[in-house]
Amino acid sequence: MSRHYFHSYFQKSLWLYQLSKAGKLCVPAMNVNDSVTKQKFDNLYCCRESILDGLKRTTDVMFGGKQVVVCGYGEVGKGCCAALKALGAIVYVTEIDPICALQACMDGFRVVKLNEVIRQVDVIITCTGNKNVVTRDQLDRMKNGSIVCNMGHSNTEIDVASLRTTELTWERVRSQVDHIIWPDGKRVILLAEGRLLNLSCSTVPTFVLSITATTQALALIELYNAPEGRYKQDVYLLPKKMDEYVASLHLTTFDAHLTELTDDQAKYLGLNKNGPFKPNYYR
């Protein structure tokens, strides 16, 4: 997969909203990143598997008893935490959002500030979509042999640029794995030079790619076939009916059979029997 894909859908959708706010968006745009099928399947379920795949392929680390801090408890962070917890890791979470932080607490994770655990953790995983989440000062305080990687977007979350100095030595030990060596001999293992671990060091299941590609294709078809005037030069969410259609197309993989509402049940809920079953703001 080329490096052009290292900029995540999150960053691209953010740019679209910024262009729209500035009045510089020239055409209607569909925000596929915030569709339910993208958020739940690509971000949550896919990352729940690819985080372990990427770490195992690059480091062969055993997770039982390891102390891991996951920065960010959005859909990607939730997937990473669930996978690591299942293998017996001691998982900490950092968050800026009180709602996501409360979710992490209710899921059994301790919410901390990174500086509180920086000296003791074995692995740091960034999943925030922000920049400079792990700084040079924090990297200096990490213990020998600790692992740092990014599941967020692009290469902005870990301050990799600050590590490219004459005082530190970079040693490439295998593809996508660098040991950053401090003057006192301490080594920190940096994966994929801070780029996306799941795109650089693991495979992306074809099932998830199918869901994402189907969502994108339907968004393009909707924009192309829409009558003139339906969509202005703005950013729109994928209609929930299409989100549900993408999901229904993939149910046959599991031989799943949907229950159908009776006319009376549909009337009681105020829904069409054929959907959509969730409001457009549901994520």
PDB file of all heavy atoms in Angstrom, residues 170-197:
ATOM      1  N   TRP A 170      20.323   5.812  15.097  1.00  0.00           N
ATOM      2  CA  TRP A 170      19.241   4.990  14.549  1.00  0.00           C
ATOM      3  C   TRP A 170      19.837   3.693  14.018  1.00  0.00           C
ATOM      4  O   TRP A 170      20.783   3.712  13.230  1.00  0.00           O
ATOM      5  CB  TRP A 170      18.543   5.720  13.403  1.00  0.00           C
ATOM      6  CG  TRP A 170      17.616   6.816  13.843  1.00  0.00           C
ATOM      7  CD1 TRP A 170      17.946   7.922  14.564  1.00  0.00           C
ATOM      8  CD2 TRP A 170      16.216   6.904  13.573  1.00  0.00           C
ATOM      9  NE1 TRP A 170      16.840   8.712  14.770  1.00  0.00           N
ATOM     10  CE2 TRP A 170      15.761   8.109  14.168  1.00  0.00           C
ATOM     11  CE3 TRP A 170      15.310   6.105  12.889  1.00  0.00           C
ATOM     12  CZ2 TRP A 170      14.426   8.512  14.089  1.00  0.00           C
ATOM     13  CZ3 TRP A 170      13.983   6.506  12.809  1.00  0.00           C
ATOM     14  CH2 TRP A 170      13.549   7.697  13.408  1.00  0.00           C
ATOM     15  N   GLU A 171      19.262   2.580  14.450  1.00  0.00           N
ATOM     16  CA  GLU A 171      19.730   1.280  13.973  1.00  0.00           C
ATOM     17  C   GLU A 171      18.541   0.507  13.404  1.00  0.00           C
ATOM     18  O   GLU A 171      17.610   0.157  14.124  1.00  0.00           O
ATOM     19  CB  GLU A 171      20.363   0.499  15.123  1.00  0.00           C
ATOM     20  CG  GLU A 171      20.873  -0.880  14.723  1.00  0.00           C
ATOM     21  CD  GLU A 171      21.468  -1.632  15.906  1.00  0.00           C
ATOM     22  OE1 GLU A 171      22.236  -1.026  16.688  1.00  0.00           O
ATOM     23  OE2 GLU A 171      21.158  -2.823  16.060  1.00  0.00           O
ATOM     24  N   ARG A 172      18.557   0.268  12.102  1.00  0.00           N
ATOM     25  CA  ARG A 172      17.483  -0.499  11.454  1.00  0.00           C
ATOM     26  C   ARG A 172      17.728  -1.982  11.702  1.00  0.00           C
ATOM     27  O   ARG A 172      18.703  -2.539  11.220  1.00  0.00           O
ATOM     28  CB  ARG A 172      17.458  -0.182   9.963  1.00  0.00           C
ATOM     29  CG  ARG A 172      16.488  -0.995   9.113  1.00  0.00           C
ATOM     30  CD  ARG A 172      15.031  -0.855   9.564  1.00  0.00           C
ATOM     31  NE  ARG A 172      14.515   0.480   9.548  1.00  0.00           N
ATOM     32  CZ  ARG A 172      13.848   1.032   8.531  1.00  0.00           C
ATOM     33  NH1 ARG A 172      13.644   0.352   7.428  1.00  0.00           N
ATOM     34  NH2 ARG A 172      13.380   2.265   8.634  1.00  0.00           N
ATOM     35  N   VAL A 173      16.839  -2.616  12.464  1.00  0.00           N
ATOM     36  CA  VAL A 173      17.040  -4.021  12.815  1.00  0.00           C
ATOM     37  C   VAL A 173      16.257  -4.964  11.896  1.00  0.00           C
ATOM     38  O   VAL A 173      16.609  -6.134  11.756  1.00  0.00           O
ATOM     39  CB  VAL A 173      16.670  -4.290  14.288  1.00  0.00           C
ATOM     40  CG1 VAL A 173      17.604  -3.539  15.212  1.00  0.00           C
ATOM     41  CG2 VAL A 173      15.222  -3.908  14.575  1.00  0.00           C
ATOM     42  N   ARG A 174      15.191  -4.490  11.321  1.00  0.00           N
ATOM     43  CA  ARG A 174      14.445  -5.209  10.294  1.00  0.00           C
ATOM     44  C   ARG A 174      13.515  -4.203   9.630  1.00  0.00           C
ATOM     45  O   ARG A 174      13.418  -3.058  10.067  1.00  0.00           O
ATOM     46  CB  ARG A 174      13.679  -6.401  10.867  1.00  0.00           C
ATOM     47  CG  ARG A 174      12.558  -6.021  11.827  1.00  0.00           C
ATOM     48  CD  ARG A 174      11.630  -7.190  12.131  1.00  0.00           C
ATOM     49  NE  ARG A 174      12.233  -8.170  13.011  1.00  0.00           N
ATOM     50  CZ  ARG A 174      11.550  -9.148  13.585  1.00  0.00           C
ATOM     51  NH1 ARG A 174      10.252  -9.278  13.359  1.00  0.00           N
ATOM     52  NH2 ARG A 174      12.132 -10.008  14.389  1.00  0.00           N
ATOM     53  N   SER A 175      12.839  -4.621   8.600  1.00  0.00           N
ATOM     54  CA  SER A 175      11.941  -3.713   7.903  1.00  0.00           C
ATOM     55  C   SER A 175      10.908  -3.115   8.863  1.00  0.00           C
ATOM     56  O   SER A 175      10.272  -3.839   9.629  1.00  0.00           O
ATOM     57  CB  SER A 175      11.217  -4.467   6.779  1.00  0.00           C
ATOM     58  OG  SER A 175      10.280  -3.631   6.129  1.00  0.00           O
ATOM     59  N   GLN A 176      10.778  -1.817   8.845  1.00  0.00           N
ATOM     60  CA  GLN A 176       9.806  -1.057   9.645  1.00  0.00           C
ATOM     61  C   GLN A 176      10.112  -1.050  11.143  1.00  0.00           C
ATOM     62  O   GLN A 176       9.272  -0.632  11.947  1.00  0.00           O
ATOM     63  CB  GLN A 176       8.375  -1.587   9.436  1.00  0.00           C
ATOM     64  CG  GLN A 176       7.920  -1.644   7.999  1.00  0.00           C
ATOM     65  CD  GLN A 176       7.724  -0.288   7.360  1.00  0.00           C
ATOM     66  OE1 GLN A 176       7.891   0.743   7.974  1.00  0.00           O
ATOM     67  NE2 GLN A 176       7.387  -0.285   6.084  1.00  0.00           N
ATOM     68  N   VAL A 177      11.304  -1.488  11.532  1.00  0.00           N
ATOM     69  CA  VAL A 177      11.674  -1.512  12.953  1.00  0.00           C
ATOM     70  C   VAL A 177      13.021  -0.819  13.133  1.00  0.00           C
ATOM     71  O   VAL A 177      14.032  -1.262  12.591  1.00  0.00           O
ATOM     72  CB  VAL A 177      11.758  -2.950  13.504  1.00  0.00           C
ATOM     73  CG1 VAL A 177      12.100  -2.922  15.003  1.00  0.00           C
ATOM     74  CG2 VAL A 177      10.460  -3.701  13.257  1.00  0.00           C
ATOM     75  N   ASP A 178      13.017   0.267  13.905  1.00  0.00           N
ATOM     76  CA  ASP A 178      14.251   0.994  14.214  1.00  0.00           C
ATOM     77  C   ASP A 178      14.482   1.019  15.714  1.00  0.00           C
ATOM     78  O   ASP A 178      13.537   1.234  16.495  1.00  0.00           O
ATOM     79  CB  ASP A 178      14.166   2.445  13.709  1.00  0.00           C
ATOM     80  CG  ASP A 178      14.189   2.538  12.194  1.00  0.00           C
ATOM     81  OD1 ASP A 178      15.254   2.270  11.609  1.00  0.00           O
ATOM     82  OD2 ASP A 178      13.139   2.870  11.601  1.00  0.00           O
ATOM     83  N   HIS A 179      15.714   0.808  16.114  1.00  0.00           N
ATOM     84  CA  HIS A 179      16.111   1.038  17.492  1.00  0.00           C
ATOM     85  C   HIS A 179      16.708   2.435  17.559  1.00  0.00           C
ATOM     86  O   HIS A 179      17.661   2.751  16.846  1.00  0.00           O
ATOM     87  CB  HIS A 179      17.151   0.011  17.944  1.00  0.00           C
ATOM     88  CG  HIS A 179      16.574  -1.327  18.231  1.00  0.00           C
ATOM     89  ND1 HIS A 179      17.282  -2.335  18.870  1.00  0.00           N
ATOM     90  CD2 HIS A 179      15.346  -1.855  17.987  1.00  0.00           C
ATOM     91  CE1 HIS A 179      16.509  -3.400  18.994  1.00  0.00           C
ATOM     92  NE2 HIS A 179      15.342  -3.134  18.456  1.00  0.00           N
ATOM     93  N   ILE A 180      16.140   3.272  18.422  1.00  0.00           N
ATOM     94  CA  ILE A 180      16.699   4.602  18.659  1.00  0.00           C
ATOM     95  C   ILE A 180      17.554   4.483  19.919  1.00  0.00           C
ATOM     96  O   ILE A 180      17.049   4.138  20.996  1.00  0.00           O
ATOM     97  CB  ILE A 180      15.598   5.662  18.862  1.00  0.00           C
ATOM     98  CG1 ILE A 180      14.497   5.493  17.798  1.00  0.00           C
ATOM     99  CG2 ILE A 180      16.202   7.051  18.822  1.00  0.00           C
ATOM    100  CD1 ILE A 180      14.974   5.603  16.378  1.00  0.00           C
ATOM    101  N   ILE A 181      18.849   4.755  19.770  1.00  0.00           N
ATOM    102  CA  ILE A 181      19.795   4.496  20.855  1.00  0.00           C
ATOM    103  C   ILE A 181      20.258   5.817  21.461  1.00  0.00           C
ATOM    104  O   ILE A 181      20.792   6.691  20.764  1.00  0.00           O
ATOM    105  CB  ILE A 181      21.009   3.700  20.340  1.00  0.00           C
ATOM    106  CG1 ILE A 181      20.523   2.438  19.593  1.00  0.00           C
ATOM    107  CG2 ILE A 181      21.925   3.304  21.491  1.00  0.00           C
ATOM    108  CD1 ILE A 181      21.620   1.705  18.867  1.00  0.00           C
ATOM    109  N   TRP A 182      20.076   5.953  22.771  1.00  0.00           N
ATOM    110  CA  TRP A 182      20.497   7.131  23.519  1.00  0.00           C
ATOM    111  C   TRP A 182      21.981   6.999  23.899  1.00  0.00           C
ATOM    112  O   TRP A 182      22.533   5.878  23.892  1.00  0.00           O
ATOM    113  CB  TRP A 182      19.632   7.295  24.763  1.00  0.00           C
ATOM    114  CG  TRP A 182      18.419   8.155  24.561  1.00  0.00           C
ATOM    115  CD1 TRP A 182      18.212   9.406  25.063  1.00  0.00           C
ATOM    116  CD2 TRP A 182      17.232   7.836  23.817  1.00  0.00           C
ATOM    117  NE1 TRP A 182      16.982   9.889  24.662  1.00  0.00           N
ATOM    118  CE2 TRP A 182      16.360   8.946  23.891  1.00  0.00           C
ATOM    119  CE3 TRP A 182      16.831   6.730  23.069  1.00  0.00           C
ATOM    120  CZ2 TRP A 182      15.124   8.986  23.275  1.00  0.00           C
ATOM    121  CZ3 TRP A 182      15.592   6.761  22.434  1.00  0.00           C
ATOM    122  CH2 TRP A 182      14.758   7.873  22.543  1.00  0.00           C
ATOM    123  N   PRO A 183      22.633   8.086  24.263  1.00  0.00           N
ATOM    124  CA  PRO A 183      24.059   8.030  24.622  1.00  0.00           C
ATOM    125  C   PRO A 183      24.385   7.055  25.757  1.00  0.00           C
ATOM    126  O   PRO A 183      25.486   6.500  25.811  1.00  0.00           O
ATOM    127  CB  PRO A 183      24.381   9.484  25.026  1.00  0.00           C
ATOM    128  CG  PRO A 183      23.415  10.308  24.247  1.00  0.00           C
ATOM    129  CD  PRO A 183      22.153   9.485  24.198  1.00  0.00           C
ATOM    130  N   ASP A 184      23.424   6.831  26.678  1.00  0.00           N
ATOM    131  CA  ASP A 184      23.678   5.912  27.799  1.00  0.00           C
ATOM    132  C   ASP A 184      23.405   4.460  27.430  1.00  0.00           C
ATOM    133  O   ASP A 184      23.489   3.572  28.281  1.00  0.00           O
ATOM    134  CB  ASP A 184      22.843   6.310  29.016  1.00  0.00           C
ATOM    135  CG  ASP A 184      21.335   6.207  28.767  1.00  0.00           C
ATOM    136  OD1 ASP A 184      20.940   5.872  27.623  1.00  0.00           O
ATOM    137  OD2 ASP A 184      20.553   6.460  29.705  1.00  0.00           O
ATOM    138  N   GLY A 185      23.061   4.206  26.162  1.00  0.00           N
ATOM    139  CA  GLY A 185      22.816   2.839  25.706  1.00  0.00           C
ATOM    140  C   GLY A 185      21.354   2.433  25.689  1.00  0.00           C
ATOM    141  O   GLY A 185      21.012   1.352  25.206  1.00  0.00           O
ATOM    142  N   LYS A 186      20.488   3.283  26.226  1.00  0.00           N
ATOM    143  CA  LYS A 186      19.050   2.966  26.222  1.00  0.00           C
ATOM    144  C   LYS A 186      18.531   2.880  24.790  1.00  0.00           C
ATOM    145  O   LYS A 186      18.895   3.681  23.947  1.00  0.00           O
ATOM    146  CB  LYS A 186      18.266   4.039  26.976  1.00  0.00           C
ATOM    147  CG  LYS A 186      16.762   3.759  27.040  1.00  0.00           C
ATOM    148  CD  LYS A 186      15.982   4.919  27.633  1.00  0.00           C
ATOM    149  CE  LYS A 186      15.634   5.949  26.574  1.00  0.00           C
ATOM    150  NZ  LYS A 186      14.686   6.962  27.073  1.00  0.00           N
ATOM    151  N   ARG A 187      17.665   1.893  24.564  1.00  0.00           N
ATOM    152  CA  ARG A 187      17.058   1.720  23.249  1.00  0.00           C
ATOM    153  C   ARG A 187      15.531   1.826  23.347  1.00  0.00           C
ATOM    154  O   ARG A 187      14.923   1.207  24.224  1.00  0.00           O
ATOM    155  CB  ARG A 187      17.426   0.362  22.652  1.00  0.00           C
ATOM    156  CG  ARG A 187      18.881   0.210  22.264  1.00  0.00           C
ATOM    157  CD  ARG A 187      19.199  -1.218  21.876  1.00  0.00           C
ATOM    158  NE  ARG A 187      20.624  -1.344  21.511  1.00  0.00           N
ATOM    159  CZ  ARG A 187      21.058  -1.558  20.270  1.00  0.00           C
ATOM    160  NH1 ARG A 187      20.182  -1.683  19.274  1.00  0.00           N
ATOM    161  NH2 ARG A 187      22.352  -1.664  20.012  1.00  0.00           N
ATOM    162  N   VAL A 188      14.952   2.588  22.451  1.00  0.00           N
ATOM    163  CA  VAL A 188      13.504   2.624  22.288  1.00  0.00           C
ATOM    164  C   VAL A 188      13.194   2.104  20.891  1.00  0.00           C
ATOM    165  O   VAL A 188      13.824   2.505  19.905  1.00  0.00           O
ATOM    166  CB  VAL A 188      12.954   4.065  22.463  1.00  0.00           C
ATOM    167  CG1 VAL A 188      11.493   4.133  22.014  1.00  0.00           C
ATOM    168  CG2 VAL A 188      13.076   4.506  23.910  1.00  0.00           C
ATOM    169  N   ILE A 189      12.243   1.184  20.808  1.00  0.00           N
ATOM    170  CA  ILE A 189      11.895   0.567  19.532  1.00  0.00           C
ATOM    171  C   ILE A 189      10.775   1.373  18.879  1.00  0.00           C
ATOM    172  O   ILE A 189       9.666   1.464  19.408  1.00  0.00           O
ATOM    173  CB  ILE A 189      11.450  -0.891  19.735  1.00  0.00           C
ATOM    174  CG1 ILE A 189      12.557  -1.675  20.453  1.00  0.00           C
ATOM    175  CG2 ILE A 189      11.093  -1.537  18.405  1.00  0.00           C
ATOM    176  CD1 ILE A 189      12.115  -3.036  20.953  1.00  0.00           C
ATOM    177  N   LEU A 190      11.088   1.973  17.733  1.00  0.00           N
ATOM    178  CA  LEU A 190      10.122   2.781  16.985  1.00  0.00           C
ATOM    179  C   LEU A 190       9.668   1.989  15.757  1.00  0.00           C
ATOM    180  O   LEU A 190      10.495   1.536  14.964  1.00  0.00           O
ATOM    181  CB  LEU A 190      10.756   4.104  16.550  1.00  0.00           C
ATOM    182  CG  LEU A 190       9.890   5.022  15.684  1.00  0.00           C
ATOM    183  CD1 LEU A 190       8.680   5.523  16.458  1.00  0.00           C
ATOM    184  CD2 LEU A 190      10.729   6.203  15.164  1.00  0.00           C
ATOM    185  N   LEU A 191       8.362   1.853  15.611  1.00  0.00           N
ATOM    186  CA  LEU A 191       7.818   1.069  14.503  1.00  0.00           C
ATOM    187  C   LEU A 191       7.327   1.977  13.375  1.00  0.00           C
ATOM    188  O   LEU A 191       6.646   2.985  13.628  1.00  0.00           O
ATOM    189  CB  LEU A 191       6.672   0.185  14.992  1.00  0.00           C
ATOM    190  CG  LEU A 191       7.023  -0.778  16.137  1.00  0.00           C
ATOM    191  CD1 LEU A 191       5.818  -1.642  16.482  1.00  0.00           C
ATOM    192  CD2 LEU A 191       8.229  -1.638  15.786  1.00  0.00           C
ATOM    193  N   ALA A 192       7.684   1.624  12.151  1.00  0.00           N
ATOM    194  CA  ALA A 192       7.221   2.302  10.928  1.00  0.00           C
ATOM    195  C   ALA A 192       7.547   3.791  10.919  1.00  0.00           C
ATOM    196  O   ALA A 192       6.850   4.566  10.269  1.00  0.00           O
ATOM    197  CB  ALA A 192       5.721   2.083  10.734  1.00  0.00           C
ATOM    198  N   GLU A 193       8.593   4.174  11.652  1.00  0.00           N
ATOM    199  CA  GLU A 193       9.011   5.582  11.725  1.00  0.00           C
ATOM    200  C   GLU A 193       7.859   6.502  12.134  1.00  0.00           C
ATOM    201  O   GLU A 193       7.784   7.662  11.732  1.00  0.00           O
ATOM    202  CB  GLU A 193       9.605   6.037  10.386  1.00  0.00           C
ATOM    203  CG  GLU A 193      10.861   5.268   9.992  1.00  0.00           C
ATOM    204  CD  GLU A 193      11.462   5.755   8.694  1.00  0.00           C
ATOM    205  OE1 GLU A 193      11.462   6.985   8.456  1.00  0.00           O
ATOM    206  OE2 GLU A 193      11.935   4.919   7.909  1.00  0.00           O
ATOM    207  N   GLY A 194       6.939   5.950  12.939  1.00  0.00           N
ATOM    208  CA  GLY A 194       5.823   6.752  13.438  1.00  0.00           C
ATOM    209  C   GLY A 194       4.628   6.807  12.514  1.00  0.00           C
ATOM    210  O   GLY A 194       3.625   7.468  12.834  1.00  0.00           O
ATOM    211  N   ARG A 195       4.706   6.133  11.357  1.00  0.00           N
ATOM    212  CA  ARG A 195       3.555   6.102  10.462  1.00  0.00           C
ATOM    213  C   ARG A 195       2.554   5.063  10.958  1.00  0.00           C
ATOM    214  O   ARG A 195       2.761   4.402  11.957  1.00  0.00           O
ATOM    215  CB  ARG A 195       4.011   5.804   9.028  1.00  0.00           C
ATOM    216  CG  ARG A 195       4.980   6.839   8.453  1.00  0.00           C
ATOM    217  CD  ARG A 195       5.232   6.561   6.972  1.00  0.00           C
ATOM    218  NE  ARG A 195       5.811   5.245   6.771  1.00  0.00           N
ATOM    219  CZ  ARG A 195       7.107   4.973   6.768  1.00  0.00           C
ATOM    220  NH1 ARG A 195       7.990   5.936   6.986  1.00  0.00           N
ATOM    221  NH2 ARG A 195       7.545   3.740   6.564  1.00  0.00           N
ATOM    222  N   LEU A 196       1.473   4.885  10.206  1.00  0.00           N
ATOM    223  CA  LEU A 196       0.416   3.983  10.638  1.00  0.00           C
ATOM    224  C   LEU A 196       0.893   2.528  10.691  1.00  0.00           C
ATOM    225  O   LEU A 196       1.273   1.956   9.670  1.00  0.00           O
ATOM    226  CB  LEU A 196      -0.784   4.084   9.697  1.00  0.00           C
ATOM    227  CG  LEU A 196      -1.677   5.312   9.880  1.00  0.00           C
ATOM    228  CD1 LEU A 196      -2.700   5.379   8.765  1.00  0.00           C
ATOM    229  CD2 LEU A 196      -2.358   5.290  11.227  1.00  0.00           C
ATOM    230  N   LEU A 197       0.828   1.945  11.866  1.00  0.00           N
ATOM    231  CA  LEU A 197       1.289   0.573  12.056  1.00  0.00           C
ATOM    232  C   LEU A 197       0.462  -0.411  11.242  1.00  0.00           C
ATOM    233  O   LEU A 197       0.996  -1.328  10.620  1.00  0.00           O
ATOM    234  CB  LEU A 197       1.216   0.204  13.543  1.00  0.00           C
ATOM    235  CG  LEU A 197       1.639  -1.220  13.895  1.00  0.00           C
ATOM    236  CD1 LEU A 197       3.148  -1.362  13.824  1.00  0.00           C
ATOM    237  CD2 LEU A 197       1.140  -1.610  15.285  1.00  0.00           C
TER     238      LEU A 197
END
